[in-house]
Amino acid sequence: MTFAEKIAAVRAELAKQDLDGFLVPRSDEHLGEYVPPSAERLAWLTGFTGSAGLAVVLTDQAAVWSDGRYVLQLAHETDERIWTRLHVTENPPPAWVAEKAGQGARIGYDPWLISEEGVARFTDAGLTMIAVAANPVDLAWKDRPAPPMAKIRPHALAVAGVSSLEKREQIGRKLTEEKQEVAVLTDPASIAWLLNIRGQDLEFAPFALGFALLHADGGVEFFAEPEKISDDTRESLGNSVAIAPRAALPDAIAGLKGRRVRLDHAGAPAWFAQRLREAGATIVPGTDPCALPKACKNPVEQQGARDAQKRDAVALCRFLHWLTDAAGHETELSAAAQLLKFRGQIEGFAGESFAAIAGAGEHGAIIHYHATAQTNRAINPNEVFLIDSGGQYPDGTTDVTRTIWTGPDAPPHELRDQFTRVLKGHIAIATLVFPEKTAGVQIDALARQYLWHAGLDYDHGTGHGVGSFLSVHEGPVSISTHLRPATLAEGMILSNEPGYYRIGHYGIRLENLLLVQKAETESKKQFFQFETLTLAPFDRRLIDLALLSTQERAWLDLYHERVLQQVGPALPGEARSWLERACAPLGIA
Amino acid sequence: MTFAEKIAAVRAELAKQDLDGFLVPRSDEHLGEYVPPSAERLAWLTGFTGSAGLAVVLTDQAAVWSDGRYVLQLAHETDERIWTRLHVTENPPPAWVAEKAGQGARIGYDPWLISEEGVARFTDAGLTMIAVAANPVDLAWKDRPAPPMAKIRPHALAVAGVSSLEKREQIGRKLTEEKQEVAVLTDPASIAWLLNIRGQDLEFAPFALGFALLHADGGVEFFAEPEKISDDTRESLGNSVAIAPRAALPDAIAGLKGRRVRLDHAGAPAWFAQRLREAGATIVPGTDPCALPKACKNPVEQQGARDAQKRDAVALCRFLHWLTDAAGHETELSAAAQLLKFRGQIEGFAGESFAAIAGAGEHGAIIHYHATAQTNRAINPNEVFLIDSGGQYPDGTTDVTRTIWTGPDAPPHELRDQFTRVLKGHIAIATLVFPEKTAGVQIDALARQYLWHAGLDYDHGTGHGVGSFLSVHEGPVSISTHLRPATLAEGMILSNEPGYYRIGHYGIRLENLLLVQKAETESKKQFFQFETLTLAPFDRRLIDLALLSTQERAWLDLYHERVLQQVGPALPGEARSWLERACAPLGIA
């Protein structure tokens, strides 16, 4: 089908359902970041393959939105004769739809693919929002792939650290304290953490798509196709976890009549609130009760993260050594493949934690660049090469970015100035001591201050939470300009990745993962500090030593010494010699 | 009446009105910081005189709340046999009332003294909230003072910078753009700014208590007793401002049937929303439309602020010189009186902008300390003296804090370490460059980072907005840990006042006022920087030079040079010689 035929088919269905329009968000039924091919409705309908977006089909026009990261990609991938291409904050969809379709227009949505809060923004704009029983896109999409059916495996206690039963009882007690009887879990990462299981329904996130109801007594109803569940998983789950097919969910919700049910209106599909109300349950608004305990890694997970990072660093350091000889005869794709090859040799490697971003020269300035056969570019001498990548291991998830000067000439002064400002911001976060109850937004500017002073900035967050053999992007805390109330707490793993992007020329990003640890002070208040987990040298040729303070230089030397100590012994001879030079005290060689 | 008699009288009235309880907040009908004696209901009923608090009288028990600043004062001023004394965040009032009075209990409130959002917190806790027609406290309070009736005077265009008509038309256009016909103004500071008038109904804030309706055509209905308005004010207001007594307000609201009326549900008394609904008006929720333009000072106001600060600095520098000889024979009260005497000699001085905080030794650690005859303490040699004060001038409002070592011996090392960490934080804010759309919460930690590193912190914001011959505390922006969405913009005046408090020993606070200015960069994005307005030396004896970076030392030397240049010529001989020594480059005598 052509894109014109697809939208015509959707419009024919709208006419049948008496609708003036229909929303097609880029989400699946879990409203998360990664979706399986069977849920790529937005890409099927519009051609746009970015990770965030929304299309609206009206009877006589249609628009598709994304954010600043995807402006170019949106224009490139969609047909302007069919789609008006818009920026989500500059032209918010509710106002656009209300203007084009008119006040009171009947706009359909699939209640599985948008939250109640999301629907409310359209209702507030004066639209009549209709939850459809049959999604017009699904009716038109004849060759839609089947949903993933990968096996679900147990996540061993040796890496999980705490048994599922203990987690469930602990959260169950919290529900009781807050006078809730049941919590609806729609985030597969929360279910994976709670049940100590892992799946492979998605390419980069090792969890299984499914839903769960957690009862205050610790019992769980887990809705996932029974044939996905291996025998050892079934055994590990025990008697207090009832497994039922996804199709049993409506009846289970209907059975909650009279119960007090915790539901996240921002995170859960609107379907749940609508069905709970129909069932006569009392909805108690509340965030996902697993989100915070999942983010605060227990001591076993913390040690697992250290171990996984240390092994992962062997692959990355071998790659960085390999890269010293790459300029002139390797490409972005061949470099990414080489890194994947090195990671494949690491014990426990279970796949990439996201599609590696390997950007040479001007491609490094595209924050979410992914090299394809069409865009692939040689790695040339005397330019900047940015590599952002990560791996999944049973004991931890990694995410690391390094920015390299390919040489052989010395890099220009301006580049070194910018790189060093990014590095100073990175060190400001890495060395920070901060009190309990500090939100990420409070510390974000520490990473930006040296760039700001030169009129520079970067248009992304400074850091995101990272899961434990789960999603590389994990809530509830981030280090960013967003006014999120969640605060940093012991055991959280966060990225520290300031950057600078000179559009059309190069990108700089320096990313390590950090672990929040208690700091010893004389104060009655609890203070925290970060332990840097990631181990890889920063490119010394790009550092302007004159811009570093004594303390910053000391931190770098100490960090490099640690990298050499921990990673060096595991490297083959030539790579080890290279690492010794890369980690020598600054100002030497 | 004794406090026991007072609460008995209120309870008798509750019985008559069939209520299970009644809220007595420390607010007047404008829900602001300063209230006239006629509105000091909380102090009358409980004895508690702090600037923030709430009492709840139930039939058989009663409680009074305040925040961390006032824990000691609350315990000291109220009778524990009558009042349970509670901390507002540790024991939130709605939950306490719901527990003690029971679900569904009928709790009365005066709709003039609490916002709709405030009432909603009690309703959400399961209470039946009843707006009373007659306030039980007012009925019991026989010798209640009359409301203030001070004259209202024009605020000259030479200091206001923009005519009232121009302001009204500008905001009127904004209302039209946002499809609003009328805005309700309940903040007297907004009305003073909008109408270019000033009053003296309150001790420290030069505005007149009143209400206004701003129409989209720029016309205003101003509700204030006509006898308060001087002839020249009436003339300055012109034909498009209709003056009516406060008693005419209910009819005016009733006349808004069918109109789209902008109202701030958090800032306006609940009375307005309730009456607007009764009248059949459409309420459009929105913040006070004057708040942002009032905060962004125009060029005339900016120059006025510079001029006022420069004159005010003469009084402060004379005082700091006077203080060099005070230890051993002066007190907190005599020092505050001396400073007021010096300010009284400054051209245009119209009174203090708040009650000066003069804290010697351990009193400096009480953040909102006010010396009284009972607490007054000698200023001793070899201790810390903290003085936080400000003045009102037609061209600007000042607010400045200095922390002084009384000598003659050298201060202890620990104190110098802490003082220098506070100073480094102050300089980090003063020298910051930051992009547009930066919220205060994003930069607050820059002021705290050096204290945090030593396990220290301060339990107040880093900075607040300051009015232009208006309230010394002004919204919508602050530099603090609060997640407020308002962002810093050109022309805003903010305080920069990090501190450290060693309870039982001393307090340190270093406060200057800052003006947000555009910064020149090569970026397409607009960047801002701060111009420091306040002019007074920091006590060099308390600075540990070894802790300062080269840049910090350079900033201090340049700042002191500017202080000497701008203030020195206006000082009498001895004070000028002292200032020369106080402002000499660091490291020199």
Side-chain angles (χ1 to χ4, degrees):
Chain A
M1 279 170 98
T2 66
F3 289 113
E5 288 165 350
K6 288 174 179 179
I7 197 168
V10 169
R11 281 185 173 134
E13 192 56 38
L14 293 192
K16 277 191 215 165
Q17 297 194 22
D18 189 22
L19 295 171
D20 300 318
F22 186 65
L23 309 185
V24 184
R26 196 267 178 184
S27 29
D28 70 356
E29 301 174 344
H30 307 280
L31 310 188
E33 180 182 2
Y34 300 105
V35 309
S38 54
E40 291 279 15
R41 295 175 181 87
L42 184 65
W44 176 83
L45 180 64
T46 69
F48 174 60
T49 61
S51 71
L54 170 74
V56 176
V57 179
L58 302 180
T59 50
D60 56 349
Q61 50 192 319
V64 57
W65 283 262
S66 195
D67 57 45
R69 295 173 294 175
Y70 292 114
V71 171
L72 295 177
Q73 186 176 334
L74 186 66
H76 183 254
E77 292 182 335
T78 59
D79 184 341
E80 66 179 336
R81 293 165 301 180
I82 302 176
W83 298 100
T84 303
R85 285 85 60 97
L86 297 168
H87 188 288
V88 72
T89 49
E90 288 165 15
N91 274 293
W96 186 91
V97 178
E99 191 198 322
K100 302 300 180 187
Q103 288 285 314
R106 292 168 52 84
I107 306 297
Y109 66 94
D110 184 335
W112 278 103
L113 304 181
I114 184 168
S115 70
E116 279 236 311
E117 286 194 2
V119 176
R121 284 191 277 275
F122 289 87
T123 310
D124 289 350
L127 295 159
T128 306
M129 299 304 293
I130 313 282
V132 301
N135 187 320
V137 170
D138 296 1
L139 293 171
W141 188 359
K142 301 300 179 195
D143 55 349
R144 186 173 159 217
M149 289 292 288
K151 276 282 180 228
I152 298 175
R153 300 152 299 164
H155 186 55
L157 188 61
V159 281
V162 175
S163 75
S164 170
L165 191 65
E166 194 176 322
K167 292 177 184 178
R168 287 184 272 125
E169 287 179 348
Q170 189 187 349
I171 297 179
R173 279 192 297 275
K174 202 170 140 59
L175 296 181
T176 301
E177 271 169 33
E178 299 183 10
K179 302 196 175 67
Q180 298 148 5
E181 297 169 272
V182 185
V184 174
L185 304 182
T186 64
D187 180 352
S190 289
I191 298 168
W193 173 84
L194 184 69
L195 300 182
N196 283 347
I197 56 173
R198 293 297 184 269
Q200 37 190 328
D201 283 343
L202 300 169
E203 195 174 358
F204 303 111
F207 43 68
L209 299 177
F211 299 96
L213 298 175
L214 169 62
H215 293 259
D217 66 0
V220 162
E221 297 168 80
F222 178 33
F223 299 90
E225 304 319 317
E227 55 268 42
K228 289 170 77 167
I229 298 168
S230 66
D231 289 344
D232 53 348
T233 304
R234 200 175 287 272
E235 195 178 323
S236 80
L237 290 172
N239 292 331
S240 53
V241 177
I243 298 162
R246 160 70 199 278
L249 189 53
D251 280 352
I253 296 289
L256 294 176
K257 179 178 163 67
R259 309 288 286 280
R260 293 177 58 82
V261 182
R262 178 180 180 132
L263 182 73
D264 183 348
H265 283 296
W271 183 90
F272 285 92
Q274 291 167 0
R275 287 300 179 97
L276 284 164
R277 279 193 212 101
E278 279 174 34
T282 300
I283 298 175
V284 187
T287 54
D288 180 334
C290 300
L292 185 60
K294 167 161 59 72
C296 297
K297 277 69 182 171
N298 63 52
V300 170
E301 290 172 319
Q302 292 180 27
Q303 189 53 45
R306 285 186 199 101
D307 296 343
Q309 302 288 345
K310 191 174 159 181
R311 296 199 310 280
D312 191 64
V314 173
L316 187 68
C317 288
R318 289 184 70 184
F319 172 78
L320 292 175
H321 168 241
W322 173 90
L323 195 65
T324 58
D325 193 34
H329 48 94
E330 297 287 349
T331 68
E332 294 167 337
L333 283 178
S334 71
Q338 183 64 46
L339 176 53
L340 184 56
K341 186 177 151 194
F342 284 131
R343 276 212 171 91
Q345 296 168 21
I346 302 296
E347 185 198 335
F349 180 66
E352 289 183 291
S353 58
F354 58 98
I357 299 172
E362 70 281 2
H363 285 170
I366 304 169
I367 296 174
H368 286 79
Y369 176 71
H370 292 290
T372 64
Q374 284 71 47
T375 66
N376 189 30
R377 175 192 184 290
I379 300 174
N380 293 324
N382 294 321
E383 68 176 10
V384 177
F385 180 70
L386 183 151
I387 179 85
D388 185 353
S389 68
Q392 292 285 5
Y393 303 89
D395 45 354
T397 301
T398 73
D399 184 0
V400 50
T401 310
R402 286 296 180 272
T403 303
I404 306 297
W405 175 250
T406 58
D409 300 344
H413 173 76
E414 187 193 32
L415 168 63
R416 291 173 71 226
D417 180 272
Q418 292 156 352
F419 181 95
T420 309
R421 289 175 189 275
V422 174
L423 180 61
K424 285 167 74 76
H426 181 98
I427 297 173
I429 296 289
T431 57
L432 184 67
V433 178
F434 57 96
E436 57 188 344
K437 295 186 184 164
T438 296
V441 65
Q442 290 175 247
I443 68 170
D444 174 76
L446 289 160
R448 299 180 196 268
Q449 56 185 319
Y450 305 103
L451 287 164
W452 283 357
H453 209 265
L456 310 176
D457 201 358
Y458 49 95
D459 197 13
H460 59 73
T462 298
H464 55 81
V466 176
S468 197
F469 193 37
L470 281 175
S471 179
V472 75
H473 294 152
E474 182 179 273
V477 169
S478 68
I479 304 174
S480 76
T481 60
H482 292 291
L483 304 180
R484 295 203 180 98
T487 59
L488 295 157
E490 188 182 6
M492 287 181 174
I493 296 180
L494 291 147
S495 71
N496 171 17
E497 49 178 313
Y500 171 68
Y501 307 90
R502 197 170 159 220
I503 305 300
H505 295 269
Y506 51 76
I508 300 166
R509 185 160 66 250
L510 301 176
E511 178 185 28
N512 281 345
L513 297 193
L514 306 174
L515 171 61
V516 180
Q517 296 280 20
K518 282 185 178 168
E520 292 289 322
T521 72
E522 288 172 25
S523 172
K524 269 182 284 183
K525 217 182 214 182
Q526 182 61 57
F527 279 76
F528 295 116
Q529 60 194 4
F530 293 117
E531 172 187 346
T532 291
L533 296 173
T534 307
L535 299 166
F538 295 100
D539 190 343
R540 55 207 294 118
R541 290 165 300 182
L542 287 170
I543 300 173
D544 184 347
L545 280 182
L547 289 181
L548 294 187
S549 72
T550 314
Q551 293 92 329
E552 287 162 345
R553 198 164 155 165
W555 181 87
L556 261 178
D557 281 342
L558 209 62
Y559 174 70
H560 280 155
E561 190 184 318
R562 213 179 117 216
V563 171
L564 181 61
Q565 242 168 33
Q566 304 239 332
V567 185
L571 290 183
E574 270 189 44
R576 194 190 312 160
S577 306
W578 167 82
L579 190 67
E580 278 165 12
R581 293 190 301 277
C583 291
L586 291 170
I588 295 176
Chain B
M1 281 170 95
T2 65
F3 288 112
E5 287 165 352
K6 288 174 180 178
I7 198 168
V10 169
R11 282 185 171 134
E13 191 57 38
L14 294 192
K16 275 191 216 164
Q17 296 193 24
D18 189 23
L19 294 172
D20 300 317
F22 186 66
L23 309 185
V24 185
R26 196 270 178 181
S27 30
D28 70 356
E29 299 173 344
H30 307 281
L31 310 189
E33 180 181 3
Y34 300 106
V35 309
S38 54
E40 291 279 16
R41 295 175 182 88
L42 183 66
W44 176 83
L45 179 65
T46 69
F48 173 61
T49 61
S51 70
L54 170 74
V56 175
V57 179
L58 301 180
T59 50
D60 57 349
Q61 51 193 317
V64 57
W65 284 263
S66 195
D67 57 46
R69 296 172 296 176
Y70 291 115
V71 171
L72 295 176
Q73 186 177 333
L74 186 66
H76 183 253
E77 291 182 337
T78 59
D79 185 340
E80 64 178 339
R81 292 165 303 180
I82 303 176
W83 297 100
T84 303
R85 287 86 58 97
L86 297 168
H87 187 289
V88 72
T89 48
E90 289 166 14
N91 275 292
W96 186 90
V97 177
E99 190 198 324
K100 301 299 180 185
Q103 287 286 314
R106 293 168 52 84
I107 306 297
Y109 67 93
D110 184 335
W112 278 103
L113 304 181
I114 184 168
S115 69
E116 279 235 311
E117 286 195 359
V119 176
R121 282 191 278 273
F122 289 88
T123 310
D124 289 348
L127 296 159
T128 306
M129 299 304 293
I130 313 280
V132 301
N135 186 321
V137 170
D138 295 1
L139 293 170
W141 188 359
K142 301 301 179 194
D143 55 349
R144 185 173 160 216
M149 288 292 288
K151 276 282 180 229
I152 297 174
R153 300 151 298 164
H155 186 55
L157 188 60
V159 282
V162 175
S163 75
S164 170
L165 193 64
E166 194 176 322
K167 292 177 183 177
R168 287 184 272 124
E169 287 178 348
Q170 191 187 347
I171 297 180
R173 278 192 297 273
K174 202 171 140 57
L175 296 181
T176 301
E177 272 168 34
E178 299 184 9
K179 302 195 174 69
Q180 298 148 4
E181 296 169 272
V182 186
V184 174
L185 303 181
T186 64
D187 179 353
S190 289
I191 298 169
W193 172 83
L194 184 68
L195 300 181
N196 282 348
I197 55 174
R198 294 295 185 269
Q200 38 190 325
D201 283 343
L202 300 169
E203 196 173 357
F204 303 112
F207 44 65
L209 300 177
F211 299 95
L213 298 176
L214 169 62
H215 294 257
D217 66 0
V220 162
E221 297 170 79
F222 178 33
F223 300 90
E225 306 316 318
E227 55 268 42
K228 289 170 77 166
I229 296 168
S230 66
D231 290 345
D232 52 349
T233 303
R234 200 175 287 272
E235 196 178 321
S236 80
L237 290 174
N239 293 330
S240 51
V241 177
I243 298 162
R246 159 70 198 275
L249 189 54
D251 280 353
I253 296 289
L256 293 176
K257 180 180 162 68
R259 310 286 287 280
R260 292 178 59 84
V261 182
R262 178 179 178 131
L263 182 72
D264 182 349
H265 282 296
W271 183 91
F272 285 92
Q274 291 167 1
R275 287 299 178 99
L276 283 165
R277 278 191 213 104
E278 278 175 34
T282 300
I283 297 176
V284 187
T287 54
D288 180 334
C290 301
L292 185 61
K294 167 162 60 72
C296 297
K297 276 68 182 173
N298 63 52
V300 170
E301 290 172 320
Q302 292 181 25
Q303 189 52 44
R306 286 186 198 100
D307 296 344
Q309 302 287 346
K310 190 174 160 180
R311 297 200 307 281
D312 191 65
V314 173
L316 186 68
C317 288
R318 289 184 69 185
F319 171 77
L320 292 175
H321 168 241
W322 173 90
L323 195 65
T324 57
D325 193 33
H329 47 93
E330 297 287 350
T331 67
E332 293 167 338
L333 283 178
S334 73
Q338 183 64 47
L339 176 53
L340 184 55
K341 189 177 149 192
F342 284 132
R343 277 212 169 90
Q345 294 169 22
I346 302 297
E347 184 198 336
F349 181 65
E352 289 181 292
S353 58
F354 58 98
I357 299 171
E362 71 281 3
H363 284 169
I366 304 168
I367 295 174
H368 285 79
Y369 176 70
H370 292 290
T372 64
Q374 283 73 45
T375 65
N376 189 28
R377 175 190 183 292
I379 299 174
N380 293 324
N382 295 322
E383 69 176 9
V384 177
F385 180 69
L386 182 151
I387 179 85
D388 184 353
S389 69
Q392 291 285 5
Y393 303 89
D395 44 355
T397 300
T398 74
D399 184 1
V400 50
T401 310
R402 285 297 180 271
T403 303
I404 305 297
W405 175 249
T406 58
D409 301 343
H413 173 75
E414 186 193 32
L415 168 63
R416 291 172 72 225
D417 180 89
Q418 292 156 351
F419 181 96
T420 309
R421 288 174 189 276
V422 174
L423 181 60
K424 285 168 74 77
H426 181 99
I427 297 172
I429 297 289
T431 57
L432 184 67
V433 178
F434 57 96
E436 56 188 347
K437 297 187 182 162
T438 297
V441 65
Q442 290 175 246
I443 68 171
D444 175 77
L446 290 160
R448 300 180 195 267
Q449 56 184 320
Y450 305 104
L451 288 163
W452 284 357
H453 209 265
L456 311 176
D457 201 358
Y458 48 95
D459 196 12
H460 59 72
T462 298
H464 53 81
V466 175
S468 196
F469 193 37
L470 281 175
S471 179
V472 74
H473 294 153
E474 183 179 271
V477 169
S478 68
I479 303 173
S480 77
T481 60
H482 292 293
L483 303 180
R484 295 201 181 100
T487 59
L488 295 157
E490 188 182 6
M492 287 183 175
I493 295 180
L494 291 148
S495 71
N496 172 15
E497 49 178 313
Y500 172 68
Y501 306 92
R502 196 170 159 218
I503 305 301
H505 294 270
Y506 50 78
I508 300 166
R509 187 161 62 251
L510 301 177
E511 178 185 27
N512 281 346
L513 297 193
L514 306 174
L515 171 61
V516 180
Q517 296 279 22
K518 282 184 179 166
E520 293 289 322
T521 72
E522 287 171 27
S523 172
K524 270 183 285 183
K525 216 182 213 182
Q526 181 61 58
F527 279 76
F528 296 115
Q529 60 194 5
F530 294 118
E531 172 187 346
T532 290
L533 296 171
T534 306
L535 299 165
F538 295 100
D539 191 342
R540 58 206 294 116
R541 290 166 301 183
L542 288 170
I543 300 173
D544 184 346
L545 280 183
L547 290 181
L548 293 187
S549 72
T550 314
Q551 292 92 328
E552 288 163 344
R553 199 163 156 168
W555 181 87
L556 260 178
D557 281 342
L558 208 65
Y559 174 69
H560 280 155
E561 189 185 319
R562 211 179 117 215
V563 172
L564 181 61
Q565 242 169 32
Q566 304 240 331
V567 186
L571 291 183
E574 271 189 43
R576 196 189 313 161
S577 308
W578 168 82
L579 189 67
E580 279 165 12
R581 291 190 302 276
C583 291
L586 290 170
I588 296 175

